[in-house]
Amino acid sequence: MIGNLKPLEIVLIIVVILLLFGAKKLPEMARSLGKSARILKSEAKAMKKDDAESAPASTTDQAAQQPAPRTIQAAPGDVSSARPVAEQNTTKS
């Protein structure tokens, strides 16, 4: 469907998008979309890493290993959204 578009139709679509959103909003929207994609990608990698770590590799030395504190990684260039993850202590005294 997209491969069937002619150059004139593509230009017309671009003009309509510019008229709807304005030239000032488009770069902001593209940045926000890219930022969201980077965050989604990093979270997916973190989930895969967590799944790989939770799989039992061997029963020995598991009690001696302490998990590293978890943090939510910010997108590159975005230092305001990185924050530590609050984990509940499940051990009872």
Side-chain angles (χ1 to χ4, degrees):
M1 178 172 162
I2 294 176
N4 295 338
L5 292 177
K6 296 178 180 126
L8 182 62
E9 294 169 343
I10 294 173
V11 170
L12 183 63
I13 291 171
I14 292 172
V15 168
V16 168
I17 290 173
L18 279 172
L19 288 175
L20 287 176
F21 296 108
K24 290 183 179 181
K25 286 284 186 180
L26 286 178
E28 181 182 325
M29 289 171 51
R31 272 191 296 276
S32 118
L33 183 63
K35 187 184 214 182
S36 299
R38 282 192 302 271
I39 291 171
L40 179 66
K41 186 177 178 181
S42 68
E43 290 297 321
K45 282 183 181 179
M47 288 175 63
K48 286 181 182 178
K49 183 180 174 185
D50 286 345
D51 287 344
E53 288 176 358
S54 66
S58 67
T59 57
T60 60
D61 297 330
Q62 284 185 353
Q65 295 177 353
Q66 291 290 331
R70 293 179 48 194
T71 58
I72 296 176
Q73 297 294 323
D78 182 22
V79 295
S80 64
S81 65
R83 60 190 183 279
V85 176
E87 294 186 14
Q88 302 270 335
N89 191 357
T90 58
T91 59
K92 293 183 179 179
S93 301

